[in-house]
Structure formats: C-alpha cells, structure tokens
Amino acid sequence: MSDLDILEDKSKLAVLYFKSQDYEKALSTYNVLIHEIKSLPKSTIKQIRKRYNLQESAVVGPTNHPKLGSLIDQRAATYEKLGQNASALKDGKELIKLEPISCKGYLRTGKLLSGMNKKVEAYKCYQEGLYIIEKAVKDYGVSVPEKLFSTLKSQYRLLNSELKRKRKVEADGQTQTVKKVKRTTDPFVYLPIDVMELVFSGIPMNQVLQYHSVCKLWYYSLTSIPRLYNFRCKPSITLNEFIAGAKLFKKIGMNTFSKSIQQVKINQVATKQHLLKVVEILIREPGLSAKNLDLIDKHFNLQLFYHLLGKFGWKFTNFRNLQSLRLGINCSIKYGQALLNMFSNLKFLEIVVILPEKSSLDLIPIQDRIFKKLKDSEKDEYSLERLLLVNHPKLLNDNPSMISPQTYNPYPILLDKCFPQLTELTLVSFDFSTTLPQFGDFLTRVPKLEKLFLENNNSINMLIFLQMILNYRPSFRLKEFTFRESSVTTPTSLTEFRITDLQQFKTITKLDLYKNCLSVTGFLKLLKICGKSVKNLNIGQSNYISFTLHSERMIYLSDILKKCPHLNTLGLSDMNIDQQAMIQLNRDFSQLQNNIQVLDLSFNKIDGISLLQMFEKTLNVNSVDVIMIHGMEVSNDTIQYLTRKKYVKNVVFDKSRVKWQVFGVNSWVQ
C-alpha cells in the first residue's frame, strides 16, 4: 500500500471518528496526520502535487501538501465540537496563510470570530478573503468552488448589513435613548445561504421573483443563488421585456464563478425586427454569457446567425461557457459544422427545422476569412454528447422543388465527423439514399452511443439498418432504440440474421418500433435477441403484426410477455384491436403473471366493457398504474369505476386527440 493510500485511509478514519462524535480520537488522528505531512521535505511534496495533477508550486501562497488544508479545516471543526474555540481559531488563521485563495479558511475564521462577538474582525476577514480570491481569479485564472465562493459573498453581505444597523443604532443613541431592537425571525439573518438554497429550490421561479420585493436583504440574498434562476422568456416576448430580463440575469450571473447564466430560453420574439435586436444583445451585451441557449423563432435560421456574428466582429465572449445549444429554424441546416468549431465546449446540439421555407445563402458571409476558417476547420474529434437533428417532412427529396443550396437539403449532416463521447443520437425526416455507407462508418465512431432515435427517414428501413449494423459492427451497446419507418415496405422476417448477431441490441431496455414493417417471425426473433432486458416496448401501428383473431399476421400477447419477462410499459396504439381481440388479450394476460404498469391502448376499436373485462377479479392481472385510451369512446362512469375499484391508478384520456403521434411530445414529425 502506497503512502497516499495510507494517508487516505487515516483521513477516512478521522472522519468516521468525527461523525460518531468521538471527537477526542478524531483530534488525535488529525494531529498525527498533520504532523506527518508537515514533516515531509519540499521535494517529496512537489512530487505528490504532481501525482494530484497540480503544479509543483502553488500559484498563490506557500507550496503545501494537497491534503494539508482540508485536514487543518477538519481539525478546526473538531476543536469547535470540543469547545476549544481558541485552538479552532488558530487553525482557521493558519489555513488562511497556507491557502490564501481557498474559501474554507475565511469562512471558518469568520464564523468563529462572529461566535466570539468579534463581528468587525469577522467582517474584515470575509472582506480580505473576497479581495484576495477575486484578484487571483482575475490575475491568474484560478478555479474556485462556486458554492463556497457564493457562501463567502453571502456571509460578507449579511454581516455588513448587521454592522450597518448596529452603527445606526449607536449613532441614534448619542441624542436619544436607544430603543430595544426588535428581534427578527427573518431566515436570511440566521440561516446560511446553502440552507436557503435548499429551501427556495422547490419554489417556482416566478414566485422567487416576487420575493425580490420583500426587502433589500431578500433581494441581494436570492440573487446570489444563481441555481434558482433560468432566463425563460414568455412566448412572443417584446424587445423591452427581453432587455429588462437581461438586466436582472446579468446581475445574477455575476454571482457565479463562471459569470454565466444557467439558461437563456427564447420561444418566439414578437417581430422580426425585435428578433434581430435580441440576437444582437445575446452576441454583444457584456455579462450575458449563458451555459444553455434555446432559440426558437419562425424568422430565425443559421444564415442569419452567421450574418449577425460577422457583422459584430465574431464576438464569442458570451458563448465561451456554452454547453447546450437548441435551435428552431425556418429552413434547411446550413454549414452545421461551423457551430461545432465556434463553440468548443458544446455538449448538446439540437436543431429542429420548424418551417419548410426556401433556403437563402445571401446573408452568409461566405468570403469572410473567419467564417471560411470556421466552416472548413476539421478536428480529429468533437466533444458532443447529444446530437438531435430534425428536418421538416416537406423538405424530403420528394419535394417538388429542385434540390440545391438555394432550395433545401434533404440529406443528414455531420456524418463525416467523429463524436467519441456521443451517447444520444436523433435523426428525423432525412433522405439516406446517398449517405448509407457514410452513416455506417459514422456508427463505428460513436462507441459510447446508448440512445438511438430514427424516425421518418427515407431510403433506410429496418432490414437495411440491421444489415448495416451487421456489416460495420459498431462497438456501442444500446439502451434505448427507436426505429419508425417512413413508409410501408415488404414484411421483414430477419431470416438473414442469427440470434448471436446484433450484440449491440442485447442490453436494450426501451424498444420503440411504432409503424414497423417487421413480420411476426421477424419481431419475435428480435425479441429473442433483446427481450430479456426490455422494460418498455411500443409496437403501435405495426404494418404486419396484428392481434386480430384468425389473421395471417396475428401474434399472441403471451408470446411477447414470455420473451420480455421484465416488461412494465407496453404500447399497443393504432393496432385495430376490437372486442374479439380483447378477449384473447385478456386470456393471455390471465395465463401469465406480468408487471405491466403502463398500458397504451389508444386509437383502437374497443369500448368500456372490454376494458372492464380486462380487470375482472377472475383474471390474474396486476393493477396498472397508468392506462392510456386517447381517441376512444369510453364513458366517464367507466373511467371512474376503474379508478374507484383501484384496477388502475390513473387513466389518461383525451377524446379530442386525433392521432397518437404528437409533435414534440412523442414524435418529431410535424
């Protein structure tokens, strides 16, 4: 066992002593550890710092063992528990000297001084800490834990307010008798900021904004907790409303170490002119940096975005911390690779074409040197973890317009890039006729892929996709797989595949085959491959699978339940299930113990009597948490009876709904 392992074990032992309230043993252990570390020669300490991926010498302050500061802080906490505040204070001051850019020393020392009623000294301690840390961040770009830094700021402000009130009372006492100060029950006066964060984290943001008007203390304290806020604009927001919101969120963002807003979400601006100004503010306004940006507008597209970036000098300051980008645009995706090169920290990219307008390249600064570099630069790999690209169905290649850069692009983009960290991929309403080999090669470069969603894509059916998997042998293991075909093809029986093939599907827990063209034989073979792990299955509107009695395409529900023993969510919408088919379904349910918790029977030909029969006591069916029966003729009395008898906990029922697929809810097809 290495010296580092021994140190780690002793540290954990000391923590255990502390948690079990054996403070004497904890103190003894901390004394031994701190003495041993302080006895190490400087050369050894430098080597240890390297092993912790730290610089040999500290940026600010003396060079110490990486664990020394934490151990001294923990020993100070132990002294506090033993009532030895003088010793605890000594450790707190020592920690400040050893680690002048760590918040812990200032927080510990300030707390102890306040407890000794030395409020002015505590205030100066907090003030000193803020000055030194902010200077180090500015001069050396060091990283400081955001939560601790926010707590230090909050304690400084609270103590500053308290001292101001005390000075005012003392000044008034020189001319009149000092009145007895009324005790306050304000939680912000007594509770630390991290506790108040927990209290307010469950409150809707619109209510948090109302609490700003309680008093100045509440305003400054709440705005120092950035996690409570997301800049989500109301639909059709005006320019003045956006400017007012941006002003508030700039103030909130300044209380974070990264100086960033958590999220800016814009869903439609009032007019196109207002949109242009809003995007300009996002680019140019200092202090309006966002980690997550959602921008959806019928007037917006990538050409316009590139134009405005070029117009304002390609300023990326507000996008330096951008991790998630979600865009809703009005025409085909143009030069998508430029976005990857613009935003190097991007983890999630989602682009949805919400309108099928004709593309225009007039706005793109095609001759601009910086834009050329952005669109042509190639990296060996990109850091994306989630990629969602949704084309508009009218922009597929059966569109009457001629395909050109000035009309539309029906083909998927970015398939030539490498995303080794990608875990989730969604491609909807594209034409794969010219990109199948490229797509197969792309799949070999996403080894961590876990969720794959393919819907309404031309020139790629289930058979072609599975054959591609077999040929290219990607190394990923899927957990969720959705494949919804764009048109009806001949039934696919999967006779070309063996049970030992398609290892990429062995661990699937969610399988969505809505509108599939698998035959009964092909479907059951697929379940032989992945059924043991499947918990969520959707086979709605299957083209060659039916529950209708005496049909050539008939399948027994019992065969599905046998191959999927852990199934808890089952979708059977749009399957033309009638009352006779329900009788057989009831029999299948009664033959096998099952754990179906969510059952979707929407848009079938069954009535309330059939539903009641399913849950008769004579049947061996467990109670269902949720049953969905959208678009069916079922009376309210039947629904109430099902819930009153506790056959189901919740019935999801919408007579007005005209189809199962709803854009943005369970489908990306408009």
Side-chain angles (χ1 to χ4, degrees):
M1 184 178 291
S2 67
D3 291 340
L4 289 180
D5 293 333
I6 294 172
L7 172 63
E8 194 67 31
D9 289 344
K10 286 184 178 180
S11 300
K12 290 179 180 178
L13 180 61
V15 172
L16 288 174
Y17 284 144
F18 184 90
K19 289 182 177 179
S20 62
Q21 300 183 11
D22 194 344
Y23 301 123
E24 294 289 350
K25 285 187 178 179
L27 179 59
S28 177
T29 307
Y30 282 129
N31 285 336
V32 171
L33 283 169
I34 292 170
H35 176 74
E36 289 178 356
I37 289 177
K38 286 184 174 180
S39 300
L40 294 173
K42 278 195 174 182
S43 57
T44 304
I45 290 175
K46 289 183 178 180
Q47 292 175 358
I48 292 172
R49 288 178 66 86
K50 280 185 177 181
R51 293 170 68 177
Y52 278 93
N53 295 320
L54 299 173
Q55 297 180 10
E56 286 189 6
S57 299
V59 177
V60 180
T63 300
N64 300 303
H65 190 287
K67 292 289 185 179
L68 180 59
S70 295
L71 291 173
I72 290 177
D73 184 53
Q74 290 162 14
R75 187 173 70 176
T78 308
Y79 277 130
E80 279 192 76
K81 293 294 184 181
L82 291 169
Q84 301 178 27
N85 289 342
S87 297
L89 182 60
K90 182 180 178 182
D91 272 355
K93 292 180 177 179
E94 182 182 3
L95 180 54
I96 290 175
K97 292 179 180 178
L98 292 174
E99 296 184 355
I101 57 173
S102 170
C103 299
K104 291 182 179 180
Y106 302 105
L107 287 170
R108 178 75 61 189
T109 304
K111 175 187 173 186
L112 289 164
L113 289 170
S114 294
M116 296 174 181
N117 204 26
K118 298 180 179 181
K119 300 292 180 70
V120 176
E121 291 184 41
Y123 170 78
K124 291 179 179 179
C125 176
Y126 291 144
Q127 188 180 53
E128 177 189 7
L130 287 175
Y131 173 78
I132 292 174
I133 293 173
E134 287 176 344
K135 191 173 188 304
V137 170
K138 181 180 179 181
D139 294 347
Y140 304 106
V142 297
S143 177
V144 180
E146 188 175 300
K147 192 170 183 179
L148 285 175
F149 198 35
S150 295
T151 303
L152 181 59
K153 289 180 179 178
S154 175
Q155 295 301 318
Y156 170 73
R157 281 195 293 268
L158 292 174
L159 192 53
N160 187 25
S161 300
E162 183 181 344
L163 291 173
K164 283 182 179 179
R165 288 196 299 268
K166 184 177 179 181
R167 285 196 297 270
K168 186 176 185 303
V169 170
E170 290 175 350
D172 293 342
Q174 294 176 2
T175 56
Q176 62 183 15
T177 304
V178 178
K179 294 181 180 180
K180 185 177 180 180
V181 179
K182 187 177 179 181
R183 297 188 67 180
T184 178
T185 57
D186 193 330
F188 280 105
V189 173
Y190 297 103
L191 298 177
I193 201 69
D194 51 346
V195 173
M196 298 309 297
E197 179 179 341
L198 291 174
V199 172
F200 283 88
S201 60
I203 298 176
M205 196 186 77
N206 60 337
Q207 292 186 24
V208 174
L209 293 174
Q210 294 175 12
Y211 295 148
H212 286 184
S213 60
V214 172
C215 64
K216 287 184 178 181
L217 177 61
W218 278 53
Y219 175 80
Y220 287 115
S221 298
L222 286 170
T223 54
S224 70
I225 311 175
R227 292 179 185 84
L228 299 180
Y229 301 87
N230 287 303
F231 191 4
R232 296 174 181 172
C233 304
K234 69 176 187 179
S236 299
I237 191 170
T238 65
L239 178 60
N240 288 337
E241 290 171 334
F242 182 82
I243 291 173
K247 183 178 179 180
L248 170 63
F249 279 87
K250 279 176 61 177
K251 179 185 290 290
I252 294 168
M254 292 306 293
N255 287 313
T256 67
F257 170 68
S258 60
K259 308 299 181 188
S260 298
I261 302 168
Q262 187 66 26
Q263 180 187 40
V264 176
K265 185 175 183 179
I266 303 168
N267 186 4
Q268 194 63 37
V269 182
T271 66
K272 185 175 182 179
Q273 289 70 28
H274 285 191
L275 171 68
L276 297 176
K277 286 293 184 180
V278 165
V279 178
E280 179 182 346
I281 291 170
L282 290 175
I283 296 172
R284 302 181 69 187
E285 183 68 24
L288 204 58
S289 173
K291 291 183 179 179
N292 305 285
L293 174 61
D294 290 18
L295 179 51
I296 302 170
D297 191 280
K298 64 182 180 181
H299 299 297
F300 187 69
N301 53 49
L302 293 184
Q303 299 94 291
L304 176 63
F305 189 45
Y306 300 148
H307 168 73
L308 293 175
L309 281 169
K311 179 180 178 180
F312 302 122
W314 300 103
K315 291 185 64 175
F316 297 128
T317 306
N318 285 348
F319 305 114
R320 69 185 186 280
N321 296 315
L322 194 66
Q323 297 179 358
S324 172
L325 178 62
R326 184 170 180 261
L327 303 175
I329 60 177
N330 61 13
C331 60
S332 290
I333 305 168
K334 299 296 181 183
Y335 298 108
Q337 68 273 18
L339 294 175
L340 300 178
N341 293 321
M342 286 178 191
F343 313 125
S344 57
N345 295 321
L346 206 60
K347 301 297 182 185
F348 309 133
L349 175 61
E350 299 185 7
I351 306 178
V352 180
V353 181
I354 57 176
L355 290 174
E357 292 185 4
K358 182 179 178 180
S359 300
S360 174
L361 303 185
D362 296 341
L363 289 174
I364 296 181
I366 201 71
Q367 301 302 323
D368 187 285
R369 177 179 58 83
I370 295 179
F371 180 73
K372 285 182 179 180
K373 183 178 179 180
L374 289 170
K375 74 179 181 66
D376 295 333
S377 293
E378 290 288 344
K379 295 182 181 179
D380 292 338
E381 56 186 51
Y382 294 89
S383 60
L384 277 188
E385 296 175 10
R386 182 172 73 224
L387 175 62
L388 181 146
L389 301 173
V390 177
N391 194 24
H392 197 284
K394 291 185 179 180
L395 295 179
L396 281 173
N397 62 354
D398 58 354
N399 193 294
S401 302
M402 291 290 291
I403 301 174
S404 76
Q406 293 289 344
T407 56
Y408 67 101
N409 173 33
Y411 308 113
I413 65 169
L414 304 181
L415 296 185
D416 58 334
K417 311 304 177 192
C418 182
F419 303 112
Q421 304 303 318
L422 197 71
T423 60
E424 187 174 344
L425 174 65
T426 298
L427 297 172
V428 178
S429 298
F430 287 103
D431 178 14
F432 281 80
S433 59
T434 62
T435 57
L436 284 175
Q438 191 180 38
F439 184 44
D441 192 49
F442 173 84
L443 294 177
T444 65
R445 301 193 299 273
V446 286
K448 294 185 178 181
L449 191 66
E450 295 180 348
K451 299 179 182 179
L452 179 59
F453 189 107
L454 300 172
E455 183 178 22
N456 194 44
N457 294 301
N458 284 357
S459 304
I460 180 169
N461 56 32
M462 179 67 80
L463 179 61
I464 292 173
F465 178 75
L466 294 181
Q467 190 64 56
M468 182 185 300
I469 293 293
L470 188 62
N471 293 342
Y472 286 87
R473 300 185 183 280
S475 60
F476 55 72
R477 293 291 183 269
L478 294 178
K479 292 182 179 179
E480 296 184 12
F481 177 55
T482 298
F483 195 99
R484 300 177 181 175
E485 303 200 31
S486 61
S487 59
V488 180
T489 59
T490 56
T492 303
S493 61
L494 303 187
T495 54
E496 303 87 345
F497 302 91
R498 298 170 296 178
I499 301 300
T500 54
D501 294 333
L502 305 177
Q503 294 298 307
Q504 297 82 357
F505 292 72
K506 283 285 187 180
T507 57
I508 287 179
T509 58
K510 181 179 179 181
L511 181 62
D512 187 333
L513 300 176
Y514 186 83
K515 293 181 68 174
N516 73 86
C517 288
L518 289 172
S519 67
V520 173
T521 303
F523 174 61
L524 292 177
K525 176 175 277 192
L526 185 60
L527 289 187
K528 284 183 180 180
I529 296 172
C530 64
K532 290 184 179 180
S533 62
V534 170
K535 296 180 179 179
N536 185 322
L537 176 65
N538 180 16
I539 54 171
Q541 202 178 344
S542 296
N543 293 298
Y544 299 105
I545 301 173
S546 173
F547 292 97
T548 305
L549 298 179
H550 312 301
S551 168
E552 294 180 357
R553 302 171 180 178
M554 182 183 176
I555 190 171
Y556 288 96
L557 180 61
S558 56
D559 290 335
I560 297 175
L561 296 176
K562 287 176 184 177
K563 289 182 170 57
C564 303
H566 302 294
L567 193 65
N568 57 41
T569 301
L570 179 60
L572 301 176
S573 60
D574 290 312
M575 292 292 288
N576 291 319
I577 298 173
D578 55 19
Q579 294 187 27
Q580 293 299 316
M582 277 295 291
I583 293 174
Q584 184 59 49
L585 288 177
N586 292 340
R587 290 173 181 168
D588 289 349
F589 269 123
S590 64
Q591 290 174 4
L592 294 170
Q593 287 284 353
N594 63 84
N595 190 38
I596 300 296
Q597 298 300 307
V598 180
L599 180 62
D600 190 349
L601 293 171
S602 301
F603 299 98
N604 282 299
K605 300 177 180 179
I606 56 180
D607 56 19
I609 295 175
S610 301
L611 284 176
L612 293 176
Q613 288 175 343
M614 174 175 287
F615 296 101
E616 285 180 352
K617 292 182 179 179
T618 55
L619 296 181
N620 198 11
V621 181
N622 297 326
S623 63
V624 176
D625 285 344
V626 180
I627 186 168
M628 290 179 275
I629 50 173
H630 297 302
M632 291 166 52
E633 294 297 329
V634 179
S635 70
N636 291 329
D637 290 340
T638 299
I639 294 174
Q640 292 172 6
Y641 181 81
L642 288 171
T643 54
R644 187 170 65 250
K645 286 291 186 179
K646 298 183 179 179
Y647 293 147
V648 298
K649 295 180 181 178
N650 187 25
V651 179
V652 182
F653 181 41
D654 185 358
K655 281 186 178 180
S656 63
R657 189 162 160 177
V658 296
K659 61 180 181 178
W660 182 81
Q661 287 181 284
V662 179
F663 177 68
V665 175
N666 58 17
S667 172
W668 284 108
V669 178
Q670 301 181 59

